[in-house]
Amino acid sequence: MGRSSKDKRDIYYRLAKEEGWRARSAFKLLQLDQEFNLFTGVNRAVDLCAAPGSWSQVLSRKLRGLEEKGEKVEEVKIVAVDLQAMAPLPGVTQIQGDITKVSTAQEIIRHFEGQPADLVVCDGAPDVTGLHDVDEYIQAQLLLAALNITSHVLKPGGTFVAKPPGGQYIHYVAPTTIQVAHPCSTGKIFRGKDVTLLYSQLKLFFGGVTCAKPRSSRNSSIEAFVVCQNYSPPEGYVPNMSNPLLDHAYDVDFNQLEGPNRVIVPFLACGDLSAFDSDRTYPLQLDSGKQYEYTPPTQPPICPPYQQACHLRKNNLLSREDAKRPDQNQDETGPTA
Ligand code: SAM
């Protein structure tokens, strides 16, 4: 694969580098914001599972940008948490920590000097094992951990955005399947037994819960986000690091509810129709006679867990000689996700 190949295939990958984003997933948060106005009135924001940092970049540019335009009075504070180290970003405090630990919640609160956050976002993904069920289970646990941290740090009325596990809670349905009355709709919907369960459980903590699919998230992937607005936990709920979504006190088979009690999960596709379609290939925009100019990645991850594997492969130290393919000489890491 040549250097321009991924640039040609993936418009958001190319744009991410051109616009200086560390990962193409920046566009997902930007498009979610277009739909939900996530950043209005936000002074304290938390980015969980932040590395390599494109969502933190969006928070930094958007929140501090407003501040610089004089639209903000309070000081903006942004905290980014990840297991991995991340290259620094202006106005973003980093915590290298685990979102399943209560100590991480405490550290966030310390940074906000006891004030609650207005917005928590989480684009967490575990290292995949390749065992589908295990991966989905871990992704589900990550969402629960994110919700737990959120219940410690988010202000009442605040917003939580997270990525639920793919196949477990949200099932992809062929494009021909109806529904979704939204002008930006791609015509594809998510549904399934467990999305109803997840939605209903999150509704215990939030006034509004919507499943949203940004246009930069490939239609061919089951990825979607839950946008949970107006944080209002059940009365008497004490934040803890247990698993609130598996609390049997709330057990109801939501799929059995009928008539007016039926649970319908709102779904929105975000990013207007003029936005690039992430599943299409767009030709490189070249002025006549001009050569394609490669843009290097904005900020490769520092100390990623796969660093040793790359070193071994690059230096031909892997046990299997044939494990090194001729196209794997480039030591390059571009925008991910
Ligand atoms: N939103 C990021 C961006 O825009 O650059 C990309 C996030 S990446 C898809 C997922 C991240 O989740 C990884 O960096 C990984 O280290 C992090 N992660 C996974 N489990 C975690 C945990 N328990 N605590 C903190 N971070 C975690």
Side-chain angles (χ1 to χ4, degrees):
M1 185 170 63
R3 282 189 140 195
S4 68
S5 171
K6 190 159 184 193
D7 283 2
K8 279 185 202 147
R9 270 189 295 120
D10 187 338
I11 181 76
Y12 284 104
Y13 173 86
R14 189 166 92 219
L15 284 179
K17 293 191 295 170
E18 286 172 8
E19 293 181 17
W21 302 111
R22 291 181 179 184
R24 72 189 288 293
S25 38
F27 294 106
K28 298 174 192 168
L29 187 58
L30 288 167
Q31 289 168 351
L32 288 169
D33 173 54
Q34 275 172 18
E35 192 60 53
F36 295 94
N37 229 347
L38 298 173
F39 304 135
T40 305
V42 171
N43 293 310
R44 283 175 296 277
V46 182
D47 183 8
L48 299 175
C49 302
S54 79
W55 279 28
S56 291
Q57 278 185 294
V58 171
L59 292 173
S60 170
R61 285 194 201 176
K62 285 281 182 181
L63 302 184
R64 286 160 44 90
L66 287 177
E67 190 180 44
E68 278 155 20
K69 273 194 243 156
E71 286 179 33
K72 291 270 175 155
V73 274
E74 258 191 79
E75 193 195 349
V76 166
K77 288 189 173 182
I78 302 163
V79 175
V81 181
D82 203 288
L83 291 171
Q84 313 294 331
M86 195 172 105
L89 280 169
V92 178
T93 301
Q94 285 179 46
I95 298 174
Q96 193 171 351
D98 187 340
I99 67 161
T100 64
K101 298 272 189 324
V102 72
S103 55
T104 305
Q106 287 158 352
E107 217 174 315
I108 297 169
I109 293 166
R110 255 199 310 281
H111 179 70
F112 290 152
E113 293 165 357
Q115 299 290 310
D118 306 302
L119 171 70
V120 179
V121 297
C122 176
D123 183 27
D127 288 340
V128 286
T129 64
L131 300 169
H132 189 68
D133 290 349
V134 174
D135 290 339
E136 295 227 324
Y137 177 78
I138 300 172
Q139 178 77 47
Q141 292 305 307
L142 215 52
L143 174 73
L144 299 175
L147 179 65
N148 278 334
I149 289 259
T150 299
S151 68
H152 282 82
V153 304
L154 190 62
K155 73 170 189 192
T159 304
F160 171 56
V161 177
K163 183 159 62 182
Q168 185 179 351
Y169 287 119
I170 290 183
H171 297 268
Y172 180 64
V173 180
T176 43
T177 326
I178 22 70
Q179 263 184 44
V180 192
H182 186 265
C184 307
S185 164
T186 58
K188 302 188 178 192
I189 65 161
F190 296 87
R191 66 148 196 225
K193 169 168 155 297
D194 298 320
V195 73
T196 316
L197 176 63
L198 172 71
Y199 168 78
S200 305
Q201 290 171 317
L202 285 169
K203 277 282 280 176
L204 294 168
F205 291 83
F206 294 91
V209 179
T210 309
C211 280
K213 173 96 174 160
R215 211 156 149 73
S216 50
S217 170
R218 294 180 188 92
N219 286 325
S220 47
S221 121
I222 53 172
E223 179 185 68
F225 294 84
V226 279
V227 179
C228 309
Q229 292 164 301
N230 190 13
Y231 179 55
S232 40
E235 219 179 301
Y237 178 75
V238 180
N240 61 75
M241 295 308 273
S242 75
N243 191 329
L245 296 191
L246 295 183
D247 187 333
H248 295 298
Y250 303 124
D251 267 1
V252 182
D253 186 351
F254 293 98
N255 299 296
Q256 299 304 315
L257 299 177
E258 288 182 349
N261 294 332
R262 207 176 134 223
V263 176
I264 300 188
V265 183
F267 174 86
L268 287 181
C270 316
D272 62 41
L273 286 176
S274 62
F276 289 107
D277 178 345
S278 49
D279 288 283
R280 264 191 62 192
T281 300
Y282 294 87
L284 297 168
Q285 300 292 323
L286 295 178
D287 295 336
S288 63
K290 273 218 160 171
Q291 287 287 322
Y292 168 71
E293 232 174 83
Y294 173 77
T295 311
T298 303
Q299 171 65 60
I302 52 174
C303 264
Y306 49 81
Q307 195 169 34
Q308 193 192 358
C310 290
H311 168 79
L312 292 176
R313 192 168 59 193
K314 200 173 162 208
N315 294 288
N316 228 354
L317 297 170
L318 288 174
S319 51
R320 273 181 46 190
E321 256 312 294
D322 61 351
K324 189 179 176 205
R325 298 196 315 258
D327 62 340
Q328 289 179 332
N329 283 321
Q330 298 166 18
D331 190 16
E332 167 204 332
T333 315
T336 49

